[in-house]
Amino acid sequence: MTPPVFLTGSGDLDHDRVVLAGPEGRHAATVRRLRVGETVDLADGAGTRARCVVTDVGRDTVAFAIEERHREPAPAPRMTVVQALPKGDRGELAVEVMTEAGVDAIVPWSADRCVTRWKPDRVAKSLGRWRSAAREAAKQARRSRVPEVTEPTATGQVAALLGAATLGIVLHEETDRRLSSLPLPDTVAAGGADAEIVLVVGPEGGFTDAELAAFDRAGAVRALLGPSVLRTSTAGVAALAVLQARCGRW
């Protein structure tokens, strides 16, 4: 079994010894109950991973000695999912499972037909929950990189993301082009370092004609996952699995 992963601050892994404190240290000491001599991985959330040995355990701190460290290259092509805001806690579920499946960035989108609305005074709290879900899921999945969760985005900005991508995809049930056989640009299929896929997952109420028209003008293609209709909170992870396999990331 691979060692558990704990996240450190930026630059902490530049030293030979690291002390994990705060909520992460408390979790390591009191929840995971790490003991002296155990091996763990520390990651900075941006691609650096270090294999470490526990040297001391306090009430809410754990000290480590770094045995080896390395920089893991960013997966390619980059995969960004634009996620329409689901209702209830399904947003955190979507972030969690997409993070486990390897998404690189998640863009919250307030689509016209979203049931959920992030009111201005609640944006920071809602965004914090999504980012916390990404952080915890990255640790669970033993990832060295925590996916970026951006600020909420409007339809015009989503169209711009699609237009700038190597391949822009809109999941839609009214098309005969299946995601599993959609033609991929050569740079995407070859895992080019500068290639990016932007995938749009719509809301429970579906896309409006205006949204689809904006995405069409941006050059996005519509793709069908399969014969069943998935929830907005699970469509993203299913599509990621298909794309990860087709691009050689899995």
Side-chain angles (χ1 to χ4, degrees):
M1 184 175 179
T2 57
V5 171
F6 295 91
L7 293 173
T8 67
S10 177
D12 287 350
L13 299 183
D14 295 340
H15 309 285
D16 292 332
R17 296 188 179 277
V18 178
V19 176
L20 211 57
E24 196 78 348
R26 191 174 305 113
H27 179 78
T30 63
V31 178
R32 292 301 299 263
R33 298 179 180 274
L34 293 183
R35 296 292 180 261
V36 173
E38 287 191 68
T39 299
V40 305
D41 281 351
L42 297 182
D44 66 355
T48 300
R49 185 191 300 269
R51 181 61 51 86
C52 306
V53 173
V54 178
T55 58
D56 186 67
V57 179
R59 182 174 181 179
D60 55 5
T61 61
V62 180
F64 303 91
I66 294 180
E67 294 190 326
E68 60 177 278
R69 65 174 66 81
H70 63 278
R71 178 80 177 172
E72 298 178 354
R78 178 178 170 85
M79 295 191 183
T80 295
V81 175
V82 177
Q83 174 66 60
L85 303 180
K87 56 188 175 182
D89 60 359
R90 290 188 176 275
E92 290 95 292
L93 171 64
V95 171
E96 178 183 334
V97 294
M98 287 192 293
T99 297
E100 292 177 3
V103 71
D104 298 303
I106 299 170
V107 180
W109 172 42
S110 183
D112 286 344
R113 290 176 177 166
C114 282
V115 175
T116 294
R117 296 290 172 184
W118 285 2
K119 297 179 181 179
D121 61 338
R122 304 282 290 178
V123 169
K125 185 175 182 179
S126 298
L127 194 56
R129 287 199 298 265
W130 280 37
R131 287 172 173 167
S132 177
R135 180 182 174 90
E136 294 306 311
K139 289 161 56 179
Q140 170 66 34
R142 310 295 200 266
R143 292 183 59 172
S144 66
R145 296 177 183 271
V146 177
E148 176 189 10
V149 179
T150 74
E151 295 290 327
T153 305
T155 298
Q157 294 168 301
V158 174
L161 287 173
L162 288 167
T166 313
L167 175 63
I169 303 171
V170 177
L171 294 181
H172 199 275
E173 69 275 12
E174 294 181 3
T175 179
D176 57 1
R177 288 180 292 191
R178 291 183 177 270
L179 186 63
S180 58
S181 58
L182 189 72
L184 301 179
D186 290 343
T187 54
V188 168
D194 295 328
E196 180 178 20
I197 297 173
V198 173
L199 175 76
V200 180
V201 180
E204 289 94 342
F207 298 99
T208 65
D209 290 341
E211 289 167 345
L212 288 174
F215 300 158
D216 288 345
R217 289 193 297 271
V221 296
R222 303 182 193 181
L224 177 70
L225 263 176
S228 58
V229 177
L230 302 182
R231 291 181 181 270
T232 185
S233 54
T234 54
V237 68
L240 276 171
V242 173
L243 292 171
Q244 292 268 45
R246 294 198 62 200
C247 296
R249 285 183 43 161
W250 277 12

